Amino acid sequence: MPDAQVLHVTRDDTSHRYEVSVDGETAGFIDFIEGDGTLAMTHTEVFEAFRGTSAARTLAADALADVAARGLAVIPLCPYIARYLSRNEVADLEVLWPERS
């Protein structure tokens, strides 16, 4: 049985993104724009070498849990984050769904 991978999610306020690393190597990110009591998630990307792993799911779960812990409402502009939220509950997270035209 192969060793389990170590995934770690961090928030980088300078770059306005959450990043996920797998065994110490950057595997992907979520870009965000923070506003007055809100955090809009605009883009999620997981690098090709890490697709098919749990990196994207872990990144979304941990980032959204952090948004909830900060008392912010999330605006899911990124399709991946919107899909994640439509399938998963995040405790204490307020979701402000963007209007569709």
Side-chain angles (χ1 to χ4, degrees):
M1 174 187 285
D3 292 334
Q5 294 178 322
V6 176
L7 284 84
H8 184 70
V9 175
T10 57
R11 178 180 161 128
D12 181 344
D13 286 320
T14 303
S15 298
H16 305 283
R17 63 175 39 175
Y18 286 92
E19 297 178 346
V20 63
S21 62
V22 177
D23 294 334
E25 185 177 349
T26 301
F29 60 88
I30 297 171
D31 287 329
F32 67 80
I33 300 168
E34 191 167 350
D36 187 22
T38 63
L39 189 134
M41 292 185 162
T42 59
H43 178 72
T44 301
E45 186 170 337
V46 170
F47 305 131
E48 190 171 338
F50 299 97
R51 291 185 185 152
T53 68
S54 60
R57 185 173 55 251
T58 299
L59 174 59
D62 288 6
L64 291 164
D66 182 68
V67 173
R70 291 171 184 268
L72 301 172
V74 69
I75 305 169
L77 299 176
C78 166
Y80 181 83
I81 297 301
R83 189 170 46 254
Y84 181 91
L85 286 168
S86 71
R87 297 176 181 170
N88 299 279
E89 288 281 329
V90 178
D92 301 319
L93 181 66
E94 180 182 0
V95 180
L96 301 176
W97 293 99
E99 292 186 26
R100 305 278 182 200
S101 54

